[in-house]
Amino acid sequence: EDAIGWSKLQLSDTYDDSDHEYYRPQYHFAPKFGWMNDPNGLFYLDGLYHLYYQYNPFASTWGNMSWGHATTKDFVHFDHHPVALLPDELGAIFSGSIVVDKENTAGFGKNAVIAFYTNANKEDFTEQSNSMAISTDGGYTFKKYEHNPVVTFDCPDFRDPTLIRYKNQWNLFIATKQWIRIYSSQNLKEWKFESEFGHGIGNHEGVWECPTVFEVDGRWVMLLNINPGGVFGGSATQYFIGDFDGHEFKCEFPPRVVKWMDFGKDAYATVAFHNPPQLTAIAWMSNWEYGKQVPSTQFRSAFSIPRTFKIVENPTTHERDLYSIPLPSFEQCFSKAVDKITPSCLVEIELTGVTAKQVNITLKNEHEHVDMEINRCHEGRFYFTRGCQSGIHDFGTTFCATTWAPYHNKDHYLIKLFIDKHSVEAAISGGRKSFF
Ligand code: FRU
């Protein structure tokens, strides 16, 4: 009764979203208040990127899943908007995607913005169905479709619908346990089951979540998020390259070949934008191994920087690989000539004429450091160590880790470090392009 806290306790009908958290990123997207996980419904229209996200508007822990909403022109400055979708009688609002119905195929009007998301019901969220919501004001407010749910299937994991326009039809990809169910439609309302993808293909050590499908360099790519079972533990994004004909996705890799998009621990639920000027995807910069415990309180978690992709033939295996590249329009927002490393900047390290077997790079301030190593022995590797001196780390036993990717490029190396208050993302190029 005499605790000091009681005398300071006040009722409020708003949350404190003032900027006072030490680990608040300066240019990565993070909610002002509350919990965030996957990016949802990413689309581009009239010069603006719209980002929605798995959001708890009431606390910085997972729960009350809704879609938060923000817009940006450059991925550096963001406008925060009111919550776009709140839970309803069919359940919480899990992940999904958005398309702009340019030709009014669904009858909600030309350029209606249509969201597909998962309703997750019951205490353990195992009753999952897929629903639709429509916005006729460019994505700021949505009305739920009166005949929801639209796509159902008797399975406790049936979620994260991703929509694409393929020729003159729509296709829907829905993660179903450890496979993807593919549907087609003319009007977004009636759906026909086409095929299942993923049996005996890729990594199956966890649940498949948040598929995203796009075309790049004349091939079709599916990014597929898996948790657990990621390359360095917990959650990660794998990818498949192949062909899609509106009915079936055919992967060109031999069965069981597993390809990872990134070689760090914190890029999950990577999904692509609908209708972007240049192919663009972003990820939740966290991992379900410790995402709920990271040491912030007002908000929890941020998105990765935006990236684009290209396909390159691997000279050793002759298989096609997917390279991730920082989105050029975003990279241009940074000054190239840094004479001082600040808490949020881009540092480029270019090494030429390298003959040493090993090159070590340490990034440090008074309290913290992370270490990188280019190891040129044999095939070559790039190591990134987030050790026990990288800042607060005692909230999760797997947060400290050394991860690595194949990296050999004779004697020339280029490393880009995107540094922000709470994170370091490394993009290495020249050899296999990778992110950490
Ligand atoms: C992936 C995920 C999705 C689900 C959402 C719930 O991180 O588990 O499969 O829709 O998060 O917040």
Side-chain angles (χ1 to χ4, degrees), residues 348-351 374 382 407 409 412-416 427-431:
E348 269 194 19
I349 302 169
E350 187 163 16
L351 305 168
I374 299 170
F382 181 86
Y407 188 41
N409 197 32
H412 177 233
Y413 294 85
L414 180 62
I415 298 159
K416 293 177 185 171
I428 58 176
S429 60

Side-chain angles (χ1 to χ4, degrees), residues 334-372:
F334 293 83
S335 152
K336 282 270 143 92
V338 228
D339 49 6
K340 189 167 171 282
I341 299 179
T342 61
S344 50
C345 65
L346 164 61
V347 175
E348 269 194 19
I349 302 169
E350 187 163 16
L351 305 168
T352 51
V354 181
T355 54
K357 284 266 171 281
Q358 196 178 317
V359 180
N360 290 84
I361 300 162
T362 295
L363 185 65
K364 66 176 182 179
N365 60 25
E366 313 88 271
H367 318 292
E368 304 158 330
H369 68 85
V370 291
D371 303 289
M372 288 153 263

Side-chain angles (χ1 to χ4, degrees), residues 195-214:
S195 60
E196 271 192 4
F197 169 76
H199 295 275
I201 297 172
N203 182 307
H204 286 265
E205 284 171 39
V207 179
W208 284 21
E209 302 183 314
C210 302
T212 197
V213 178
F214 51 81

